[in-house]
Amino acid sequence: MRIFSGIQPTGELHLGNYFGAIRQWVELQHENFCIYCIVDYHALTNESAKPEELRHNRKELALDLMACGIDPEKSILFVQSAVPEHAELCWILGCVTSFGDLARMTQFKEKAKGQQFVNGGLFYYPVLQAADILLYLADHVPVGEDQLQHLELARRIARRFNWRFGELFPEPEPILGKVPRLMSLADPARKMSKSYGPDHYIGLMEPEQEIWRKIRTAVTDVGLTPGQAMSPGVANLFTLLELVAPAEVVEEFRVAHAAGRLLYKDLKETLFRYLMEILRPVRERRRELEGKEVVEEVLAAGAEKARKIARQVLKEVRALVGLD
Ligand code: AMP
Ligand code: TRP
């Protein structure tokens, strides 16, 4: 498979990113051709992004991804704006994209809601995302559930381009992780996300006591009785536990819950303990990488490899549409 995925450099990685997407990125790189992109053009749609922060966040994110196990020897890791072909293909694909389709995107509607100034980039965001994927003729895209609508649109765009100008692009399929949508611990009705504030996500590199505080104060329910249905908060804690703990441990807690004798404090302590076992090596690798100053080299080499493919595909696109 030819894999492409992207992530915005908007600050630290959280458990939703990790279990929803990045863990699949890491697994896929062993047997596939993988291209992973830090999408800084996309991040510009965020009105509050400061230039210095953007520059800083790109590097930090590259370090985080490498600490999670993205291996630049196996995969191409690069920054989107180092390959300006993304922007050119975006324009061309915009001309085979339906305005009505763009207006239906739920992420756009959510982000535009209540804003005084809605920039055009926010509206065009999914076209750039389609360009990211199609520029490398990728056929599979590992993402969380919130990106499925954007991927469906990317398929429509590929189809319409192929129909109008001639067969070139594959229709990219999503690859969902075991937990396509991890919920916030503070409000299990919403997804884990940085947009709702620091209590609504757990950062991979956060201080240990902060992670414990967020787990300790996670919403559960009051007064468990035997056979009681699981509340969304407790279900979310179980989802996390399943991701980090051995099956027997999860089963033991499930039995205790069904019998109405589960102490949420025990569940939370166990979850914290196993979660830190998963996070500790990632955090250690991150500290090692920081001292090495490898990141610039990795990104430069990645951009060069990406650009080689991008140039070739764009050349074919330009010829097909009549620009060359
Ligand atoms: P973002 O931080 O929004 O750029 O997302 C990066 C990747 O993480 C995308 O593939 C998202 O679908 C995925 N992701 C973000 N939040 C969650 C979540 N709460 N659960 C599962 N996947 C998520
Ligand atoms: N829109 C994606 C997100 O918010 C990031 C993204 C940009 C992406 N381009 C992509 C994901 C291409 C997959 C493929 O998470």
Side-chain angles (χ1 to χ4, degrees):
M1 296 190 283
R2 188 179 277 222
I3 308 288
F4 183 99
S5 198
I7 182 164
Q8 291 196 59
T10 45
E12 54 185 338
L13 281 182
H14 57 71
L15 296 182
N17 301 136
Y18 184 70
F19 292 116
I22 311 301
R23 226 171 44 161
Q24 283 68 252
W25 294 19
V26 173
E27 279 162 21
L28 286 163
Q29 62 182 349
H30 301 301
E31 289 186 3
N32 302 281
F33 183 68
C34 298
I35 306 171
Y36 298 128
C37 183
I38 295 172
V39 294
D40 54 350
Y41 283 146
H42 278 103
L44 282 180
T45 60
N46 177 0
E47 290 287 327
S48 56
K50 307 256 185 316
E52 259 328 300
E53 269 170 26
L54 183 59
R55 235 172 258 132
H56 175 77
N57 286 344
R58 295 187 308 199
K59 255 181 79 175
E60 295 293 301
L61 180 54
L63 282 172
D64 283 349
L65 292 172
M66 285 161 71
C68 288
I70 300 299
D71 178 354
E73 302 280 318
K74 294 197 175 110
S75 307
I76 299 180
L77 177 64
F78 76 108
V79 170
Q80 188 184 32
S81 67
V83 183
E85 282 78 5
H86 287 247
E88 187 177 350
L89 184 60
C90 174
W91 178 259
I92 296 171
L93 293 183
C95 301
V96 292
T97 304
S98 142
F99 172 85
D101 280 349
L102 285 180
R104 268 192 292 278
M105 292 292 118
T106 47
Q107 187 172 303
F108 169 71
K109 287 192 275 190
E110 264 167 35
K111 287 196 174 169
K113 201 163 47 190
Q115 299 271 358
Q116 260 187 354
F117 181 90
V118 178
N119 67 68
L122 210 52
F123 189 66
Y124 231 60
Y125 183 111
V127 185
L128 181 58
Q129 181 164 350
D132 295 342
I133 301 164
L134 300 179
L135 188 54
Y136 301 94
L137 305 179
D139 42 44
H140 286 84
V141 184
V143 281
E145 195 180 64
D146 57 351
Q147 295 303 312
L148 290 183
Q149 197 187 27
H150 287 166
L151 262 170
E152 173 65 36
L153 180 67
R155 284 198 293 280
R156 286 168 74 88
I157 293 174
R159 224 174 291 143
R160 189 134 202 291
F161 180 97
N162 292 345
W163 168 76
R164 182 166 157 197
F165 296 113
E167 213 41 59
L168 175 65
F169 297 124
E171 292 182 23
E173 295 290 334
I175 298 179
L176 286 178
K178 228 164 79 188
V179 179
R181 189 172 152 91
L182 193 64
M183 307 312 277
S184 154
L185 295 186
D187 177 0
R190 299 201 259 185
K191 70 169 182 181
M192 180 173 287
S193 168
K194 276 171 297 195
S195 343
Y196 309 131
D199 278 348
H200 293 277
Y201 69 88
I202 292 181
L204 300 188
M205 309 298 165
E206 274 189 70
E208 218 168 305
Q209 62 277 27
E210 194 51 18
I211 297 182
W212 169 236
R213 184 188 68 78
K214 289 179 181 180
I215 293 180
R216 183 172 50 81
T217 56
V219 173
T220 51
D221 47 42
V222 278
L224 185 59
T225 53
Q228 182 182 311
M230 228 182 246
S231 65
V234 176
N236 196 33
L237 290 172
F238 268 96
T239 299
L240 269 170
L241 189 68
E242 271 175 1
L243 289 167
V244 297
E248 336 54 280
V249 174
V250 182
E251 188 49 31
E252 222 174 90
F253 278 102
R254 279 202 191 283
V255 170
H257 181 271
R261 56 177 167 76
L262 173 64
L263 293 177
Y264 292 137
K265 186 170 147 287
D266 293 345
L267 173 66
K268 288 173 170 180
E269 275 173 8
T270 306
L271 170 60
F272 174 66
R273 199 153 40 79
Y274 282 106
L275 176 64
M276 288 317 299
E277 270 179 37
I278 303 266
L279 293 188
R280 224 165 265 135
V282 174
R283 294 151 70 98
E284 262 161 38
R285 250 194 323 269
R286 165 74 214 224
R287 260 193 302 276
E288 283 164 23
L289 284 165
E290 238 161 287
K292 284 198 192 142
E293 308 230 336
V294 286
V295 72
E296 258 112 8
E297 264 171 55
V298 165
L299 293 177
E304 201 176 312
K305 285 188 224 159
R307 201 154 187 206
K308 226 178 245 160
I309 306 172
R311 276 215 195 95
Q312 188 53 42
V313 173
L314 195 63
K315 205 169 145 202
E316 289 180 51
V317 170
R318 289 180 58 104
L320 279 174
V321 304
L323 291 173
D324 280 337

